[in-house]
Amino acid sequence: MIWGFSAEHLGPNDYYYWDDFWAVAGLKAASYLNTAYEDNDEAIYLEGESKLLLDSINQSLRQVEERLMRPAIPASPYRRMDTGAIGSVSASYPLRIFCANDPRVLDTVDFLMKNCLVRGGFFHDMTHSGINPYLTLHLAQVLLRAGDPRYFSLMTAVAELASSTGQWPESVHPNTGGGCMGDGQHVWAAAEWVLMIRNCFVREEDGQLILCSGIPQIWLDKKQPIVFGPAATSFGDIQITIKPHGQNILIEWHGQWLRKEPPIDIQLPGFKKVRVPPTTNSFILRK
């Protein structure tokens, strides 16, 4: 376990799970790079180190579950559940260390959704003392990944907090709607919004691409084509078009793959999940 201040929004010095999760992901990324450069011995070593660290984290989380009498992940092994637990959802988004439906992450999100929302956004009472757009979007990303439709209410809340120039302060005062902490035009918030929209259309999961899993019905009700991309993925660039087709929906895509075409699933809400055949570039989803 790693001792440090971590991000300033988690609190005083402690053994933060945030740091540990990022360390696991860093070791896995280093292993991936060594594999790419054909240094297999170093790749195996780093992958092994990441697994050892993750085993240590899981052992700690089992003890915490006994103490808290719930699977949720606090900010550190010694903390109660509070708004600092937002750092622990990084195990799902953006790091994908834990699976999409990991009960520990989902219980953490449930706690934060039930206890820490103001005006529909995540209110962080440590340091920020306001509604935080990018951390609200972290919650939304975890819910999107888990197939939980509550992601869209969080997206909507963040959109409503945007300034007239389409920007967000780092933290929003719940009464004035203006900034109360950090940058006036927070680049991190803007980047998280772009990533949120991108993941609604296309995201990676377990060596495959998932298309359209975050497209809400209200967008489809306009009965107009929706075009997204080209956007970068770990497999190459992809452009996606969603077209109303009577009561059905036509999904078209064009990929410029770095290597071979990845497996592709379409998971448009309200329709059955589909694994599309290889070399396919369109598919009609039927009601």
Side-chain angles (χ1 to χ4, degrees):
M1 304 294 285
I2 299 168
W3 170 265
F5 275 109
S6 191
E8 86 284 350
H9 63 276
L10 297 185
N13 246 13
D14 209 335
Y15 292 96
Y16 285 115
Y17 287 119
W18 162 280
D19 292 312
D20 298 318
F21 291 141
W22 279 96
V24 170
L27 288 166
K28 291 176 74 69
S31 175
Y32 174 86
L33 286 174
N34 276 276
T35 299
Y37 285 99
E38 299 182 353
D39 189 345
N40 294 327
D41 290 342
E42 189 69 11
I44 292 171
Y45 168 75
L46 290 167
E47 181 68 24
E49 289 296 301
S50 74
K51 290 179 179 178
L52 287 173
L53 179 54
L54 187 57
D55 287 344
S56 177
I57 295 170
N58 284 326
Q59 181 179 353
S60 173
L61 292 177
R62 287 191 289 270
Q63 296 174 354
V64 168
E65 182 174 355
E66 292 180 4
R67 177 174 65 83
L68 297 179
M69 293 185 291
R70 64 183 300 172
I73 309 173
S76 92
Y78 307 106
R79 288 263 286 273
R80 61 182 173 83
M81 290 299 294
D82 53 45
T83 62
I86 188 67
S88 299
V89 305
S90 62
S92 177
Y93 173 84
L95 303 178
R96 289 180 290 159
I97 293 171
F98 292 164
C99 68
N101 295 309
D102 188 286
R104 298 166 295 185
V105 173
L106 296 185
D107 192 38
T108 306
V109 170
D110 282 342
F111 170 84
L112 296 172
M113 293 284 287
K114 290 174 182 177
N115 296 281
C116 307
L117 297 190
V118 174
R119 292 178 57 181
F122 173 70
F123 185 92
H124 196 15
D125 57 14
M126 295 180 190
T127 308
H128 292 197
S129 299
I131 305 168
N132 188 288
Y134 74 84
L135 293 177
T136 302
L137 292 173
H138 282 200
L139 290 177
Q141 293 273 22
V142 175
L143 292 173
L144 172 65
R145 187 171 178 240
D148 188 319
R150 290 180 294 172
Y151 78 91
F152 192 64
S153 65
L154 295 171
M155 284 182 64
T156 302
V158 172
E160 292 175 348
L161 291 171
S163 71
S164 59
T165 58
Q167 297 285 329
W168 295 267
E170 187 166 355
S171 193
V172 177
H173 194 288
N175 293 330
T176 69
C180 63
M181 192 281 297
D183 301 333
Q185 294 184 329
H186 196 221
V187 175
W188 191 345
E192 286 292 351
W193 180 258
V194 171
L195 288 169
M196 186 78 234
I197 297 298
R198 180 262 196 191
N199 283 355
C200 285
F201 284 88
V202 57
R203 59 188 176 87
E204 296 93 337
E205 190 75 48
D206 297 329
Q208 64 185 11
L209 286 182
I210 296 177
L211 306 187
C212 305
S213 65
I215 306 301
Q217 185 61 44
I218 192 172
W219 293 0
L220 300 176
D221 288 343
K222 296 181 182 296
K223 301 297 183 180
Q224 296 177 349
I226 305 172
V227 180
F228 176 79
T233 77
S234 57
F235 304 102
D237 293 350
I238 187 171
Q239 181 165 320
I240 301 167
T241 303
I242 303 170
K243 296 179 180 179
H245 201 267
Q247 293 299 312
N248 305 318
I249 301 292
L250 173 64
I251 310 293
E252 298 177 327
W253 62 95
H254 175 70
Q256 293 184 320
W257 310 121
L258 299 173
R259 298 181 182 85
K260 65 178 183 179
E261 178 186 26
I264 295 176
D265 282 4
I266 300 175
Q267 297 185 9
L268 185 68
F271 292 83
K272 186 177 180 180
K273 296 179 182 179
V274 175
R275 167 63 59 86
V276 299
T279 70
T280 301
N281 294 108
S282 65
F283 198 92
I284 294 179
L285 298 175
R286 304 183 186 278
K287 281 290 190 179

